[in-house]
Coordinates of all heavy atoms in Angstrom, one line a residue:
T1 N 0.8 -1.2 0.0 CA 0.0 0.0 0.0 C 0.9 1.3 0.0 O 0.6 2.2 -0.8 CB -1.0 0.0 1.2 OG1 -1.8 -1.2 1.1 CG2 -1.9 1.2 1.2
Q2 N 1.9 1.3 0.8 CA 2.8 2.4 0.9 C 3.5 2.6 -0.5 O 3.6 3.7 -1.0 CB 3.8 2.2 2.0 CG 3.3 2.3 3.4 CD 2.6 3.7 3.7 OE1 3.1 4.7 3.2 NE2 1.6 3.7 4.4
E3 N 4.0 1.5 -1.0 CA 4.6 1.5 -2.3 C 3.7 2.0 -3.4 O 4.1 2.7 -4.4 CB 5.2 0.2 -2.7 CG 6.2 0.2 -3.8 CD 6.9 -1.2 -4.0 OE1 6.9 -2.0 -3.1 OE2 7.4 -1.4 -5.1
T4 N 2.4 1.6 -3.3 CA 1.4 2.1 -4.3 C 1.3 3.6 -4.3 O 1.3 4.2 -5.4 CB 0.0 1.5 -3.9 OG1 0.1 0.0 -4.0 CG2 -1.1 2.0 -4.9
F5 N 1.2 4.2 -3.1 CA 1.0 5.6 -3.0 C 2.3 6.3 -3.4 O 2.3 7.4 -4.1 CB 0.6 6.1 -1.6 CG -0.9 5.9 -1.5 CD1 -1.4 4.7 -0.8 CD2 -1.8 6.8 -2.0 CE1 -2.7 4.5 -0.7 CE2 -3.2 6.6 -1.8 CZ -3.6 5.5 -1.2
Y6 N 3.5 5.8 -3.1 CA 4.7 6.3 -3.6 C 4.8 6.3 -5.1 O 5.2 7.4 -5.7 CB 5.9 5.5 -3.0 CG 7.2 6.0 -3.5 CD1 7.8 7.2 -3.0 CD2 7.9 5.3 -4.5 CE1 9.0 7.7 -3.6 CE2 9.1 5.8 -5.0 CZ 9.7 6.9 -4.5 OH 10.9 7.4 -5.0
K7 N 4.5 5.2 -5.7 CA 4.5 5.1 -7.1 C 3.5 6.1 -7.8 O 3.8 6.7 -8.8 CB 4.2 3.7 -7.6 CG 4.5 3.4 -9.0 CD 4.5 2.0 -9.3 CE 4.9 1.8 -10.8 NZ 5.1 0.4 -11.1
A8 N 2.3 6.2 -7.2 CA 1.3 7.1 -7.7 C 1.8 8.6 -7.6 O 1.6 9.4 -8.5 CB 0.0 7.0 -6.9
F9 N 2.5 8.9 -6.5 CA 3.0 10.2 -6.4 C 4.1 10.6 -7.3 O 4.2 11.6 -7.9 CB 3.5 10.4 -4.9 CG 4.0 11.8 -4.6 CD1 3.2 12.9 -4.6 CD2 5.4 12.0 -4.4 CE1 3.7 14.2 -4.4 CE2 5.9 13.3 -4.2 CZ 5.0 14.4 -4.2
T10 N 5.0 9.6 -7.6 CA 6.2 9.8 -8.4 C 5.9 9.6 -9.9 O 6.7 10.2 -10.7 CB 7.4 8.9 -8.0 OG1 6.9 7.5 -8.1 CG2 7.8 9.2 -6.6
T11 N 4.8 8.9 -10.2 CA 4.5 8.7 -11.7 C 3.1 9.2 -12.0 O 2.4 8.5 -12.8 CB 4.7 7.2 -12.0 OG1 3.8 6.5 -11.2 CG2 6.1 6.7 -11.8
N12 N 2.7 10.3 -11.4 CA 1.3 10.7 -11.6 C 1.0 11.1 -13.1 O -0.2 11.2 -13.4 CB 1.0 11.9 -10.7 CG 1.8 13.2 -11.2 OD1 2.8 13.1 -11.7 ND2 1.2 14.3 -10.9
A13 N 2.0 11.2 -13.9 CA 1.7 11.4 -15.3 C 1.0 10.3 -16.0 O 0.3 10.5 -17.0 CB 3.0 11.7 -16.0
S14 N 1.0 9.1 -15.4 CA 0.3 8.0 -16.0 C -1.1 8.0 -15.7 O -1.9 7.2 -16.3 CB 1.0 6.6 -15.6 OG 0.7 6.5 -14.2
F15 N -1.6 8.8 -14.8 CA -3.0 8.9 -14.5 C -3.7 9.9 -15.5 O -3.4 11.1 -15.4 CB -3.2 9.4 -13.0 CG -4.7 9.4 -12.6 CD1 -5.5 8.3 -12.7 CD2 -5.3 10.6 -12.3 CE1 -6.8 8.3 -12.3 CE2 -6.6 10.7 -11.9 CZ -7.4 9.5 -11.9
R16 N -4.5 9.3 -16.4 CA -5.1 10.1 -17.4 C -6.4 10.6 -17.1 O -7.1 11.3 -17.8 CB -5.1 9.2 -18.7 CG -3.8 8.8 -19.2 CD -3.9 8.0 -20.5 NE -4.7 6.8 -20.3 CZ -4.3 5.6 -20.0 NH1 -3.0 5.4 -19.9 NH2 -5.1 4.6 -19.9
G17 N -7.0 10.2 -15.9 CA -8.3 10.7 -15.5 C -9.4 9.9 -16.1 O -10.6 10.3 -16.0
E18 N -9.1 8.9 -16.9 CA -10.1 8.1 -17.6 C -10.8 7.1 -16.6 O -12.0 6.8 -16.8 CB -9.5 7.2 -18.7 CG -8.9 8.1 -19.8 CD -8.2 7.2 -20.8 OE1 -8.1 6.0 -20.7 OE2 -7.6 7.8 -21.7
A19 N -10.1 6.8 -15.5 CA -10.7 5.9 -14.5 C -10.8 6.7 -13.2 O -10.2 7.7 -13.0 CB -9.8 4.7 -14.3
N20 N -11.5 6.1 -12.3 CA -11.6 6.6 -10.9 C -10.3 6.5 -10.2 O -9.5 5.5 -10.5 CB -12.7 5.8 -10.2 CG -13.0 6.4 -8.8 OD1 -12.2 6.7 -8.0 ND2 -14.3 6.7 -8.6
A21 N -9.9 7.4 -9.4 CA -8.6 7.4 -8.7 C -8.4 6.1 -7.9 O -7.3 5.5 -7.9 CB -8.5 8.6 -7.8
V22 N -9.5 5.6 -7.2 CA -9.3 4.4 -6.5 C -9.1 3.2 -7.4 O -8.3 2.3 -7.1 CB -10.5 4.1 -5.5 CG1 -11.8 3.7 -6.3 CG2 -10.2 3.1 -4.5
T23 N -9.7 3.2 -8.6 CA -9.4 2.1 -9.5 C -8.0 2.1 -10.0 O -7.3 1.1 -10.1 CB -10.4 2.2 -10.7 OG1 -11.7 2.3 -10.3 CG2 -10.2 1.1 -11.7
W24 N -7.5 3.3 -10.3 CA -6.1 3.5 -10.7 C -5.2 3.0 -9.6 O -4.2 2.3 -9.9 CB -5.9 5.0 -11.0 CG -4.5 5.4 -11.4 CD1 -3.7 4.9 -12.4 CD2 -3.7 6.3 -10.7 NE1 -2.5 5.5 -12.4 CE2 -2.4 6.4 -11.4 CE3 -3.9 7.1 -9.6 CZ2 -1.4 7.2 -11.0 CZ3 -2.9 8.0 -9.2 CH2 -1.6 8.0 -9.9
L25 N -5.4 3.4 -8.4 CA -4.6 3.0 -7.3 C -4.6 1.5 -7.1 O -3.5 0.9 -6.8 CB -5.0 3.8 -6.0 CG -4.7 5.3 -6.0 CD1 -5.4 5.9 -4.8 CD2 -3.2 5.5 -5.9
C26 N -5.8 0.9 -7.2 CA -5.9 -0.5 -7.0 C -5.2 -1.3 -8.1 O -4.6 -2.4 -7.9 CB -7.3 -1.0 -6.9 SG -8.1 -0.5 -5.3
S27 N -5.2 -0.7 -9.3 CA -4.4 -1.4 -10.4 C -2.9 -1.3 -10.2 O -2.2 -2.3 -10.4 CB -4.8 -0.9 -11.8 OG -4.4 0.4 -11.9
I28 N -2.5 -0.2 -9.7 CA -1.0 -0.1 -9.3 C -0.7 -1.1 -8.2 O 0.3 -1.9 -8.3 CB -0.7 1.3 -8.8 CG1 -0.8 2.3 -9.9 CG2 0.7 1.3 -8.2 CD1 -0.7 3.8 -9.5
A29 N -1.6 -1.2 -7.2 CA -1.4 -2.1 -6.1 C -1.4 -3.6 -6.6 O -0.5 -4.4 -6.1 CB -2.5 -1.9 -5.0
R30 N -2.3 -3.9 -7.4 CA -2.4 -5.3 -8.0 C -1.1 -5.6 -8.7 O -0.5 -6.7 -8.5 CB -3.6 -5.5 -8.9 CG -3.7 -6.9 -9.4 CD -4.8 -7.1 -10.3 NE -4.8 -6.2 -11.5 CZ -5.8 -5.5 -11.9 NH1 -7.0 -5.6 -11.3 NH2 -5.7 -4.7 -12.9
N31 N -0.6 -4.7 -9.5 CA 0.7 -4.9 -10.3 C 1.8 -5.1 -9.3 O 2.7 -6.0 -9.5 CB 0.9 -3.8 -11.3 CG -0.1 -3.8 -12.4 OD1 -0.7 -4.8 -12.7 ND2 -0.2 -2.7 -13.0
L32 N 1.9 -4.3 -8.3 CA 3.0 -4.4 -7.3 C 2.9 -5.7 -6.5 O 3.9 -6.4 -6.3 CB 2.9 -3.3 -6.3 CG 3.3 -1.9 -6.9 CD1 3.0 -0.8 -5.9 CD2 4.8 -1.9 -7.3
F33 N 1.7 -6.2 -6.2 CA 1.5 -7.5 -5.5 C 2.0 -8.6 -6.4 O 2.7 -9.5 -6.0 CB 0.0 -7.7 -5.2 CG -0.3 -9.0 -4.6 CD1 0.1 -9.4 -3.3 CD2 -0.9 -10.0 -5.4 CE1 -0.2 -10.6 -2.8 CE2 -1.2 -11.2 -4.9 CZ -0.8 -11.6 -3.6

């Protein structure tokens, strides 16, 4: 979870706004898992 938010913070350019923020964060978390 911590790594997810770190990655979201450092690579926010990948968030295009097409999905809900929680969906975007959960997809990052799933990939990290």
Side-chain angles (χ1 to χ4, degrees):
T1 302
Q2 291 298 326
E3 194 172 338
T4 298
F5 282 97
Y6 175 76
K7 191 167 187 174
F9 181 68
T10 58
T11 61
N12 69 331
S14 67
F15 183 59
R16 298 181 303 264
E18 295 171 3
N20 188 306
V22 72
T23 305
W24 175 61
L25 291 168
C26 286
S27 67
I28 293 171
R30 180 179 58 226
N31 292 338
L32 291 170
F33 173 75

